[in-house]
Amino acid sequence: MKTDIEPGVVVIGAGVVGLSAAIAAQARGLSVTVLEREAPAAGASAGNAGAFAFTDILPLASPGILKKAPKWLLDPLGPLSIPPSYAFQIAPWMFRFWRACSARHVAHSTAAQTALMDLSKAELEPFLTQTGTADMLRKEGNLQVYESQAELNASLPGWKAREAHGVEFRHMGAADMAAIQPGLAPRFTHGTFTPGWYSIADPKLYTLALADHFRAMGGTIERAEVSGLHPIEGGVEIRTTDGRTLRAQNVVLAAGAFSHQVARSLGETIPLETERGYNTTLPLDAFDLRTQVTFGGHGFVVTRLSTGIRVGGAVELGGLKLPPNFRRSEAMLEKARSFLPGLKPAGGVQWMGFRPSLPDSLPAIGRARATPRVVYAFGHGHLGLTQSAGTARLVADLLTDRPTSIDIASFSPQRF
């Protein structure tokens, strides 16, 4: 097979994590090429809610989710669902998820998540300035709404945990909520506002801007689907599905929901699953939205982007191959119409994307077992945008053999 290129670093994946890591490596003086199976921002980086959710430190795997899950799973269009045809295949992952819901595991995951969130927040604005994207940042906060005092009370242990980790928030009643976000249905009687919740003007446009910056600084993005990695003397051999063989001194695997398939070629079985996220993006005049609103009891958010009003969220654990079930998007939009009575639902564009998720809600960041020349950076679930700048810093540290900015033992790809 012909060897086409021999760059210093090949990054696999042109989503927000992969491109952020590529830019961070480039800034350290490394020659970087990005390989992408489709196009930049083609996956979850395009259709997410656009939030830098630095206050979202509690893992999805928690005792609280265990209490809610049975009820949710009975509703095929609810906040959490597993298609019956996929239930057997996902059973081992669900067992690991159940184990990660213990109090001990949750405390460990929360501490690790907080460290990564703090790093990501500290890195974000310098990264935006470096890449010329600072004008896309918004600091409008997030309003979590509740339908009763009892629902608010049930959330208090989570807020207490956030408070212990320095997260700023304030609980409020209907009048204060209306001052922040007019137009909520009367059924929402209580809320919690977190001012430290940032967002980006549009996640797809942001990711495409990162691609443009990377190219402008001398980087190359090529379309190629990687089928396998193989350690060689002094580097890594990269095989693509079209028969090419490339070689690089180092490789960063940041291919999102497809990453575990590539890692398997190195002899590692990493329990990555797919949170299939759904949304509908409405025209900008669909609603006068002033902050991101989270309907936690129903598993979705409503976000104002520069390109429209996005209604989306929920978790469908259905893998990579099943066709989209856009009834989920329709169900969320119907609820949003009820929860925001002034919302105009016409003219929406539906979307479904794959969010790479590990059972303990922490990403895999670290070196491959087979070779230190492969660095993993995937599995961020619904926090890929949020943790992209921090992950990029850690990847650049590993590529240049510097001490990492935080302890990454909790994110070890071999922890399973």
Side-chain angles (χ1 to χ4, degrees), residues 324-366:
N325 177 10
F326 284 116
R327 289 182 302 161
R328 295 181 63 76
S329 297
E330 293 159 7
M332 283 186 285
L333 185 58
E334 188 61 31
K335 283 187 175 182
R337 289 180 64 186
S338 172
F339 299 166
L340 302 170
L343 181 72
K344 294 181 285 188
V349 177
Q350 295 178 328
W351 177 91
M352 188 276 284
F354 302 128
R355 298 175 293 195
S357 184
L358 291 162
D360 59 2
S361 304
L362 300 178
I365 304 173

Side-chain angles (χ1 to χ4, degrees), residues 68 102 297 392:
K68 298 175 182 177
S102 71

Side-chain angles (χ1 to χ4, degrees), residues 20 33 90 120 140 164 170 174 229 257 284 291 299 318 335 349 360 365 392-393:
S20 298
T33 294
I90 201 175
S120 298
E140 298 172 343
R170 64 181 186 271
L229 302 175
L284 270 171
T291 185
K335 283 187 175 182
V349 177
D360 59 2
I365 304 173
R393 170 67 183 271

Side-chain angles (χ1 to χ4, degrees), residues 103-288:
R104 178 176 63 85
H105 281 99
V106 169
H108 175 85
S109 296
T110 301
Q113 199 76 286
T114 301
L116 183 54
M117 291 294 199
D118 289 346
L119 173 64
S120 298
K121 187 173 184 179
E123 292 289 319
L124 177 62
E125 292 191 65
F127 183 80
L128 297 180
T129 299
Q130 172 194 345
T131 56
T133 55
D135 61 341
M136 301 181 79
L137 183 65
R138 294 174 171 176
K139 299 182 179 181
E140 298 172 343
N142 174 276
L143 180 64
Q144 169 92 33
V145 296
Y146 308 101
E147 296 179 65
S148 66
Q149 180 69 53
E151 188 179 358
L152 171 63
N153 291 344
S155 76
L156 294 180
W159 291 112
K160 184 176 180 180
R162 293 181 179 93
E163 184 177 34
H165 289 283
V167 173
E168 180 186 355
F169 60 89
R170 64 181 186 271
H171 302 306
M172 59 185 61
D176 288 335
M177 290 163 57
I180 293 173
Q181 179 55 66
L184 290 166
R187 65 190 288 171
F188 297 104
T189 56
H190 297 76
T192 305
F193 185 67
T194 49
W197 188 289
Y198 299 169
S199 62
I200 203 73
D202 181 272
K204 181 176 183 178
L205 296 181
Y206 171 63
T207 306
L208 291 175
L210 295 185
D212 289 342
H213 173 84
F214 173 68
R215 292 189 187 102
M217 298 303 292
T220 301
I221 301 175
E222 295 188 12
R223 185 168 183 176
E225 184 173 358
V226 174
S227 59
L229 302 175
H230 304 275
I232 57 175
E233 185 176 354
V236 183
E237 187 174 83
I238 306 157
R239 296 179 182 174
T240 67
T241 56
D242 61 2
R244 287 192 295 162
T245 300
L246 318 175
R247 289 175 183 168
Q249 294 170 347
N250 294 281
V251 169
V252 177
L253 179 53
F258 299 88
S259 298
H260 62 308
Q261 297 177 350
V262 180
R264 202 172 294 138
S265 67
L266 292 170
E268 293 200 73
T269 301
I270 297 177
L272 188 73
E273 261 302 337
T274 306
E275 294 181 33
R276 294 151 57 98
Y278 291 84
N279 67 48
T280 302
T281 303
L282 302 169
L284 270 171
D285 65 355
F287 190 76
D288 179 20

Side-chain angles (χ1 to χ4, degrees), residues 58-62 65-66 80 93 97 101 275 315 357 360-361 382:
L58 301 179
L60 180 63
S62 66
I65 202 73
L66 287 183
L80 174 66
W93 189 94
F97 181 88
C101 289
E275 294 181 33
V315 174
S357 184
D360 59 2
S361 304
H382 58 281

